[in-house]
Amino acid sequence: MRLILLAAPGAGKGTQAEKLSEHFGIPTISTGAILRHNIQEGTELGKIAKQYIDGGNLIPDDVMIQVMKDRLSQEDCKKGFILDGFPRTLTQAEALDASGIAIDAVLNLEVEDEAIVQRLSGRLECKECASTFHKEYRKPKVQGVCDNCGGELTTRADDKPETIKSRLSVYHTQTEPLLKHYVEKGILKSVKGQDAIEDTTKAVLAALED
Ligand code: ADP
Ligand code: ZN
């Protein structure tokens, strides 16, 4: 199974990716997690990425395409993968098409902008394993501590109100056009992102089965 999750920031891609990874036994490749890890480690890529991410902008296509070429050629991707955060522009989608990697399905999680702003404003992320929680909608068992690994939970630097706005507008102008690209290829499946995580997962699995 090679799957792309395509949805606005905060629509629940990361959360659903976690569930689908478990269900299918394949890794999730999250561009956001890769980039934030590089920022934390202070790598060259991290230095480039930080300025773009903090402004709510996208990393340049050529950089992102190279990062993903390297990542997808690794051993753990051989039996399938879930892409969370790539492609995000038409140029990236075309590069993926040209790589010859056949994608089975592209999943679109539909969520209203208003709900997205609410979700992102209260989001918490584990510093260690990148699992996400929410101050109201998905509270961790112990405040400030990751349920999955015990790591410290923090608010992402790009989850500030001004940055959320620019990320949403970048999504509408740069990423939303990809929906049409994948409709034309006949592999787009759209599912309404619901409030309960489990309900969304059920709807997603049902969509993937037909
Ligand atoms: P979200 O989807 O919630 O915005 P991500 O963790 O997927 O968060 O991405 C965080 C940031 O990383 C994005 O706002 C963008 O700056 C950068 N980024 C992630 N994936 C890509 C990509 N494919 N192309 C360009 N920039 C990217
Ligand atoms: Zn964790």
Side-chain angles (χ1 to χ4, degrees):
M1 171 67 84
R2 298 195 192 94
L3 189 63
I4 292 174
L5 296 185
L6 194 66
K13 291 192 297 286
T15 307
Q16 293 307 321
E18 240 178 80
K19 307 278 173 194
L20 294 171
S21 266
E22 239 171 73
H23 184 89
F24 292 113
I26 50 179
T28 295
I29 315 298
S30 157
T31 53
I34 293 173
L35 296 170
R36 283 187 292 280
H37 176 78
N38 276 272
I39 292 174
Q40 229 172 1
E41 300 290 308
T43 66
E44 272 316 301
L45 171 62
K47 283 177 202 154
I48 298 172
K50 187 172 168 33
Q51 23 170 343
Y52 292 100
I53 293 183
D54 287 354
N57 298 308
L58 295 181
I59 278 75
D61 283 331
D62 55 337
V63 175
M64 222 42 235
I65 288 166
Q66 192 54 51
V67 168
M68 293 310 279
K69 263 197 186 139
D70 293 347
R71 183 63 189 88
L72 293 179
S73 65
Q74 285 171 28
E75 197 54 39
D76 64 333
C77 292
K78 292 278 169 349
K79 53 180 178 158
F81 52 75
I82 298 164
L83 289 183
D84 168 9
F86 187 90
R88 245 175 151 108
T89 65
L90 206 51
T91 306
Q92 292 178 13
E94 281 162 358
L96 187 60
D97 292 347
S99 75
I101 297 172
I103 301 297
D104 299 299
V106 178
L107 191 72
N108 173 30
L109 291 176
E110 301 171 322
V111 179
E112 305 286 328
D113 280 9
E114 238 171 86
I116 283 175
V117 173
Q118 272 189 356
R119 287 185 190 186
L120 290 180
S121 322
R123 181 157 75 172
L124 298 166
E125 190 182 68
C126 174
K127 273 190 171 175
E128 305 301 325
C129 76
S131 298
T132 58
F133 300 86
H134 193 281
K135 284 175 187 162
E136 284 166 51
Y137 311 129
R138 198 191 180 194
K139 289 185 184 164
K141 293 194 183 96
V142 179
Q143 196 186 333
V145 180
C146 174
D147 289 2
N148 298 331
C149 79
E152 185 191 341
L153 299 181
T154 53
T155 297
R156 272 170 47 176
D158 58 345
D159 281 346
K160 291 189 297 245
E162 321 83 79
T163 319
I164 290 173
K165 263 199 205 149
S166 55
R167 284 161 63 201
L168 265 177
S169 98
V170 165
Y171 170 75
H172 288 303
T173 55
Q174 312 236 64
T175 308
E176 219 164 35
L178 293 188
L179 295 176
K180 186 163 162 273
H181 180 78
Y182 290 114
V183 167
E184 281 163 5
K185 289 182 169 289
I187 55 173
L188 187 79
K189 316 228 175 209
S190 285
V191 168
K192 277 218 160 35
Q194 328 208 350
D195 286 336
I197 292 167
E198 295 73 29
D199 292 348
T200 309
T201 307
K202 267 187 213 150
V204 164
L205 289 173
L208 290 177
E209 268 152 29
D210 52 59

